[in-house]
Amino acid sequence: MNDNLRHALNNARLQPTDVAAHLAVDPKTVHRWLRGRLPYPRHRWAIADLLHVDETELWPEIVHQRRPFNDELQAVYPHRWTVPRATWRQLFQSARHEIGILAYSGLFLAEDTGIIRLLADQARSGVQVRVLLGDPDAPAVAARGVDEAIGSTVMVARVRNALSLYRPLMSIDNVEIRLHQTVLYNSIYRSDADLLVNSHAYGTPAAQAPVFHLHATEQEASASTYLGSFEHVWGGARMYDQRG
């Protein structure tokens, strides 16, 4: 029996049929999970996301499967959408000095009111929050929309939508939003020495591309390259004044 999963469902006031409907699986499959069968990773991530917990809280036996590859490379996710929502929250919540977001739109975070609230709380506690989004008028933003096969106007609209959702943060001390015109090869999400790096692949939406969890251990390591890239883009970006 998986008592952890059963208790989590009870606390969330969800029935197995609710989980089955959310994951588009047979209710019998959910009952097998409750009886102790280990779900496929994609189902574990979806359930953990639904219940707002880390998957190891529901299946402690998989902890050994998530051991870091080394001191720097902590984890690899095959797609950004497979990164549990709890992981994003834990990343930003763990920051004691600095949070950094470098993307074209970062819309998936901007649409999460819990994340926006968390960023606001962190800024009020003294954490520096820096957000770098694509300049809606930049050719690179339009080109990325073409690359992802969603169209240049859609990408521009996503950026403008994200800016409107991030805008409430601008009234809070320790928050700064800038717009860049850079051709991004990766989106970078930073919390002090920890980074989630979302690679960009031609013809592939960022949500479908892999994510690497890195922990900066030394100046010459891979993580320092991405930290340097973030600073380089930040230095060339313009301040967002709520009119652009």
Side-chain angles (χ1 to χ4, degrees):
M1 295 291 291
N2 188 331
D3 291 329
N4 292 337
L5 179 58
R6 188 176 301 278
H7 291 323
L9 290 181
N10 288 338
N11 291 337
R13 298 183 179 179
L14 294 175
Q15 297 296 322
T17 51
D18 299 320
V19 178
H22 183 79
L23 272 65
V25 299
D26 192 301
K28 293 180 180 178
T29 300
V30 180
H31 284 290
R32 284 194 287 269
W33 296 337
L34 288 167
R35 287 196 295 268
R37 178 173 294 185
L38 183 66
Y40 289 120
R42 67 179 184 276
H43 290 144
R44 295 200 306 269
W45 295 328
I47 295 171
D49 193 42
L50 175 65
L51 298 174
H52 303 293
V53 298
D54 189 272
E55 61 174 323
T56 57
E57 296 181 37
L58 304 175
W59 297 280
E61 66 271 24
I62 68 169
V63 170
H64 72 281
Q65 300 177 15
R66 297 180 57 179
R67 290 176 181 169
F69 294 89
N70 53 50
D71 289 342
E72 183 181 34
L73 182 58
Q74 300 289 300
V76 176
Y77 300 91
H79 314 285
R80 193 189 69 200
W81 64 264
T82 64
V83 181
R85 193 169 301 175
T87 297
W88 293 104
R89 290 198 301 273
Q90 289 167 4
L91 176 76
F92 297 130
Q93 198 165 30
S94 68
R96 294 296 175 265
H97 305 288
E98 181 175 355
I99 290 171
I101 295 172
L102 169 60
Y104 278 124
S105 72
L107 186 58
F108 74 103
L109 291 178
E111 291 178 328
D112 189 328
T113 55
I115 290 293
I116 297 298
R117 190 176 299 113
L118 174 57
L119 294 176
D121 290 342
Q122 285 286 66
R124 292 189 185 99
S125 71
V127 175
Q128 185 68 34
V129 177
R130 296 190 291 168
V131 180
L132 269 167
L133 301 183
D135 188 326
D137 298 322
V141 172
R144 181 59 189 171
V146 174
D147 292 347
E148 290 192 4
I150 63 174
S152 59
T153 57
V154 174
M155 180 60 74
V156 170
R158 287 173 62 87
V159 173
R160 294 192 185 279
N161 189 15
L163 284 170
S164 68
L165 293 170
Y166 280 113
R167 190 174 294 153
L169 295 175
M170 296 190 65
S171 62
I172 303 172
D173 289 341
N174 298 317
V175 176
E176 186 174 353
I177 299 177
R178 293 188 182 184
L179 302 179
H180 68 83
Q181 300 193 19
T182 309
V183 176
L184 291 184
Y185 301 100
N186 303 274
S187 295
I188 300 172
Y189 307 91
R190 175 189 182 182
S191 173
D192 294 337
D194 282 283
L195 299 90
L196 290 178
V197 179
N198 185 190
S199 66
H200 292 184
Y202 182 81
T204 303
Q208 298 293 335
V211 171
F212 305 92
H213 180 183
L214 300 175
H215 178 77
T217 55
E218 55 186 71
Q219 188 173 359
E220 292 78 17
S222 300
S224 64
T225 300
Y226 294 107
L227 292 173
S229 177
F230 184 100
E231 296 300 334
H232 188 72
V233 177
W234 181 262
R238 68 177 176 90
M239 185 175 297
Y240 175 55
D241 61 6
Q242 302 191 49
R243 293 175 297 176

